[in-house]
Amino acid sequence: MAIITEEVGDIFSAPPNSILIHACNARGAWGSGVAAAFKQKYPYAFRKYNTHCLSPLTGSKLTVKQHQANIVGTTLLIPPPNAINQRQAFKTPHYIACLFTSLDYGKKVSPPEEILENTGNALRDLAKQVAEIRGSGEEMGNYYAVRINSGKFGVEWQKTKTVLEAEHLDITVLRPKEEETADAANTAAGGKLGQPPAKGEKAKGEKSPAGFNAGRYNRRGSIRAKAESLSDKQTRGMKRKVEKDLTGDDDDDRDDMKRKEPAKPIQ
């Protein structure tokens, strides 16, 4: 049984030659969540990952989509750049382990039970590759990961952690301090550890989602309130007019009629 240690820290600050684990889709996209951070930090690794997803093996008769379906449940282990490119090697001193736990992303993300099964298969594939590399005499560090599957893939972290513990890789799971603060606030509110707050709630320290414009939201609320206020005034004005028509002064009406009555011609 593996030992999974959780700590607060930055995964990108792991020692050189460490193996950084994160969950990926098989479509070749690192567009959001922690994947976007990996893409920005390791553009070299992203190009390798993207090519792997979009290019079936040479001589294969599989379509791209068939190839993508086949790599789900496997791991693409990307080594640091070689010494020829010293600048890139300095920027990317880690092995990047891309666990293909979901075929797709967004609204088409795989069901949680499939993601968990794919995670176990991908971890065993990773262990096999690392054993072969170490067997060749190459130096490799320890395993580090984030809370894989619990972000954009929407799988409860404790379920993924159970899968990790069932394998044979000792992994240090690093969480940003902001995530720990959000967890503490959510737990205090009666939520589960590692799970997002209930719909309509927001944990302390959590940022508004991308695309959310608080100013626009407030302006809409203000406009709506003004419209409702104007509607109330118009309703009250109409009510007063009806009451006046029903109970108004007849003398005033007769005066109005006299003023409007045309003068009789002189005979």
Side-chain angles (χ1 to χ4, degrees), residues 42-185:
Y42 306 111
Y44 169 87
F46 172 72
R47 290 193 294 272
K48 291 284 186 180
Y49 154 80
N50 182 261
T51 300
H52 180 73
C53 292
L54 301 180
S55 305
L57 296 175
T58 303
S60 172
K61 295 182 179 180
L62 296 177
T63 65
V64 172
K65 287 189 175 181
Q66 289 172 333
H67 165 69
Q68 291 172 342
N70 281 350
I71 65 176
V72 174
T74 67
T75 293
L76 173 65
L77 182 60
I78 305 171
N82 56 40
I84 295 176
N85 189 341
Q86 290 291 345
R87 181 179 179 184
Q88 184 64 56
F90 175 77
K91 291 172 62 179
T92 315
H94 302 122
Y95 288 84
I96 309 300
C98 306
L99 275 61
F100 293 105
T101 63
S102 175
L103 173 61
D104 225 311
Y105 57 94
K107 294 181 179 180
K108 296 182 180 180
V109 67
S110 299
E113 58 273 12
E114 291 185 14
I115 290 177
L116 293 172
E117 181 181 357
N118 296 334
T119 299
N121 293 334
L123 285 170
R124 288 188 286 275
D125 186 34
L126 173 60
K128 180 181 178 181
Q129 294 182 54
V130 171
E132 291 176 354
I133 294 174
R134 285 175 173 166
S136 67
E138 189 168 338
E139 181 182 355
M140 299 184 76
N142 296 324
Y143 295 96
Y144 291 85
V146 293
R147 285 183 165 184
I148 61 172
N149 299 328
S150 66
K152 296 298 181 180
F153 287 173
V155 179
E156 184 180 339
W157 163 240
Q158 291 302 322
K159 292 182 178 180
T160 295
K161 185 177 180 180
T162 299
V163 173
L164 299 182
E165 291 172 336
E167 300 303 323
H168 304 286
L169 303 179
D170 294 340
I171 302 173
T172 299
V173 177
L174 296 173
R175 296 181 298 147
K177 187 175 181 180
E178 295 80 7
E179 185 176 321
E180 183 187 37
T181 302
D183 265 352

Side-chain angles (χ1 to χ4, degrees), residues 130-266:
V130 171
E132 291 176 354
I133 294 174
R134 285 175 173 166
S136 67
E138 189 168 338
E139 181 182 355
M140 299 184 76
N142 296 324
Y143 295 96
Y144 291 85
V146 293
R147 285 183 165 184
I148 61 172
N149 299 328
S150 66
K152 296 298 181 180
F153 287 173
V155 179
E156 184 180 339
W157 163 240
Q158 291 302 322
K159 292 182 178 180
T160 295
K161 185 177 180 180
T162 299
V163 173
L164 299 182
E165 291 172 336
E167 300 303 323
H168 304 286
L169 303 179
D170 294 340
I171 302 173
T172 299
V173 177
L174 296 173
R175 296 181 298 147
K177 187 175 181 180
E178 295 80 7
E179 185 176 321
E180 183 187 37
T181 302
D183 265 352
N186 186 36
T187 303
K192 292 182 179 180
L193 184 65
Q195 286 297 96
K199 187 176 181 180
E201 298 179 357
K202 184 165 67 173
K204 181 180 179 182
E206 182 184 352
K207 295 182 179 180
S208 297
F212 178 82
N213 189 320
R216 183 186 304 166
Y217 180 85
N218 291 335
R219 286 195 298 274
R220 287 178 177 174
S222 177
I223 293 171
R224 187 182 300 113
K226 289 180 179 179
E228 290 175 353
S229 176
L230 179 60
S231 178
D232 290 342
K233 290 180 179 179
Q234 291 174 337
T235 301
R236 289 195 296 270
M238 292 176 64
K239 184 177 179 182
R240 285 195 297 268
K241 185 177 184 304
V242 171
E243 290 175 348
K244 181 177 180 181
D245 290 343
L246 293 175
T247 62
D249 191 339
D250 291 340
D251 292 337
D252 290 340
D253 292 340
R254 285 193 294 270
D255 289 342
D256 289 340
M257 292 177 64
K258 289 179 180 179
R259 284 194 296 268
K260 294 178 181 177
E261 185 178 354
K264 295 181 180 180
I266 300 174

